[in-house]
């Protein structure tokens, strides 16, 4: 029980800086994807949404054709490409995180893997447990394998007390977990930022649209009906795009965070089994010695 409490004190240790190669890889990916998404969004806005075939008289300055959503979105104004960029970023980084976390899980179900490790540990088959890690692969298997390697090392060590050996195994598991977490959590900060910023950008577009609408109402004589309609349309379109993008980013962020928590819990469960097994298998022998 003491070992379990000791392990749970640092369930999620503070992750150190990611290895230089990983940090550069993550930064390079974001540095490429963000401007590329903006360029694609501008092209789509101008040449797809702004195509003359989507508007009355073939002119994008006119009203969109009835029911033509491409033309309707184009009327959202210059803020639309920014919102489209954010939507593409949410979509792109969600796919990237999905693939990365999928690889981190390994080749089989995490529950099945942890169950296998516990079964191997119950019969003191450390070699078999390491072989299961090699078959599973992924972040969880990497951490468990590191703990099992330290287990074997401490089992051969004769110069340390049992408590010192247990602490060494626990430290190895925590350090391995801290090295794996940055890879799992990388780019999640971008999703969380987009979840907040997309709504604000949508509101900014709403403000621009309402300014145009009230400017049309302020015309001397009869109000400019076309300007009023375009201003209101711009406001509502930007609001919808901003809220929609923000909602998708929030769902994606919470989904991936929950998946990372599942992986971390599996690591904790396997790590606790390793420590408990070591304490049970080597405690009595060392006391007898």
């Amino acid at each position: 029980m003491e070992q379990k409490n000791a392990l749970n004190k640092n369930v999620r240790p503070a992750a150190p800086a990611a290895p230089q190669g990983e940090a550069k890889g993550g930064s390079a990916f974001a540095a490429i994807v963000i401007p590329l998404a903006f360029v694609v969004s501008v092209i789509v806005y101008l040449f797809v949404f702004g195509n003359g075939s989507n508007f009355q008289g073939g002119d994008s300055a006119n009203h969109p054709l009835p029911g033509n959503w491409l033309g309707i979105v184009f009327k959202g104004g210059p803020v639309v490409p920014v919102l489209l960029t954010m939507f593409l970023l949410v979509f792109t980084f969600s796919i990237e995180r999905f693939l990365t976390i999928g690889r981190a899980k390994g080749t089989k179900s995490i529950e099945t893997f942890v169950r296998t490790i516990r079964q191997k540990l119950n019969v003191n088959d450390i070699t078999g447990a390491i072989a299961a890690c090699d078959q599973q692969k992924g972040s969880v298997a990497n951490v468990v394998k590191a703990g099992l390697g330290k287990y074997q090392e401490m089992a051969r060590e004769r110069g340390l007390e049992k408590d010192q050996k247990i602490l060494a195994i626990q430290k190895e598991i925590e350090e391995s977990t801290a090295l794996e977490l940055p890879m799992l959590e990388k780019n999640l900060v971008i999703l969380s930022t987009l979840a907040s910023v997309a709504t604000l950008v949508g509101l900014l577009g709403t403000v621009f649209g309402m300014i145009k609408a009230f400017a049309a109402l302020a015309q001397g004589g009869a109000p400019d009906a076309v300007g009023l309609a375009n201003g209101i349309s711009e406001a509502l379109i930007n609001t919808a795009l901003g809220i929609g993008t923000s909602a998708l980013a929030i769902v994606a962020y919470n989904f991936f965070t929950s998946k990372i928590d599942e992986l971390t819990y599996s690591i904790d469960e396997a790590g606790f089994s390793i420590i408990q097994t070591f304490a049970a298998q080597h405690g009595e022998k060392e006391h007898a010695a």
Side-chain angles (χ1 to χ4, degrees):
M1 193 68 183
E2 293 178 0
Q3 287 81 7
K4 184 174 183 180
N5 291 334
L7 183 63
N8 287 337
K9 286 180 182 178
N10 293 307
V11 171
R12 261 182 108 161
Q20 189 173 4
E22 279 189 14
K24 286 185 177 180
S27 300
F29 180 76
I32 292 172
V33 168
I34 292 174
L36 183 61
F38 180 72
V39 171
V40 171
S41 298
V42 171
I43 292 174
V44 170
Y45 175 74
L46 293 176
F47 300 104
V48 178
F49 295 163
N51 191 289
S53 61
N54 299 321
F55 302 91
Q56 297 175 0
D59 187 354
S60 60
N62 297 330
H63 285 299
L65 293 172
N68 190 303
W69 285 100
L70 297 179
I72 292 173
V73 173
F74 179 82
K75 288 300 181 181
V79 179
V80 170
V82 179
L83 292 170
L84 286 177
T85 300
M86 293 182 175
F87 175 80
L88 288 177
L89 290 177
V90 171
F91 183 74
T92 302
F93 284 111
S94 295
I95 293 177
E96 185 267 339
R97 284 294 87 198
F98 182 82
L99 295 176
T100 300
I101 293 176
R103 287 195 300 270
K105 286 183 177 181
T107 57
K108 298 179 182 178
S109 165
I110 288 294
E111 292 79 8
T112 302
F113 170 69
V114 173
R115 192 182 310 117
T116 300
I117 294 298
R118 298 186 71 172
Q119 290 172 351
K120 298 290 185 183
L121 290 172
N122 287 338
V123 296
N124 200 28
D125 184 9
I126 306 303
T127 303
I130 292 176
C133 293
D134 291 334
Q135 292 177 354
Q136 178 72 11
K137 301 179 181 179
S139 295
V140 177
N142 291 341
V143 174
V144 175
K145 185 177 180 180
L148 292 171
K150 181 61 70 171
Y151 181 110
Q152 290 183 321
E153 179 184 339
M154 291 296 103
R156 294 189 296 266
E157 177 64 47
R158 293 293 179 264
L160 296 175
E161 297 292 332
K162 184 187 75 170
D163 290 344
Q164 292 176 313
K165 294 179 179 181
I166 290 174
L167 288 174
I169 297 172
Q170 178 182 331
K171 183 179 179 182
E172 181 69 21
I173 293 172
E174 290 175 354
E175 289 179 351
S176 299
T177 302
L179 289 173
E180 293 291 338
L181 280 180
M183 185 272 291
L184 296 177
E185 297 177 343
K186 184 176 63 179
N187 294 330
L188 282 184
V189 65
I190 296 178
L191 287 176
S192 64
T193 301
L194 290 172
S196 302
V197 174
T199 303
L200 297 177
V201 174
L203 290 175
L204 181 64
T206 302
V207 171
F208 289 160
M210 295 309 296
I211 290 173
K212 289 183 179 180
F214 282 105
L217 283 174
Q219 295 289 338
D224 182 359
V226 174
L228 176 62
N230 287 338
I232 295 175
S233 177
E234 178 176 339
L236 296 178
I237 289 167
N238 285 305
T239 302
L241 288 175
I243 292 175
T245 301
S246 178
L248 290 175
I250 291 171
V251 170
Y253 178 82
N254 290 335
F255 174 79
F256 293 125
T257 300
S258 67
K259 291 299 179 183
I260 293 172
D261 288 342
E262 289 178 10
L263 294 179
T264 306
Y265 175 79
S266 299
I267 291 172
D268 294 335
E269 185 178 1
F272 174 66
S273 298
I274 292 171
I275 292 175
Q276 285 287 80
T277 301
F278 185 90
Q281 294 292 336
H282 298 272
E284 294 180 0
K285 295 179 183 178
E286 294 183 6
H287 284 303

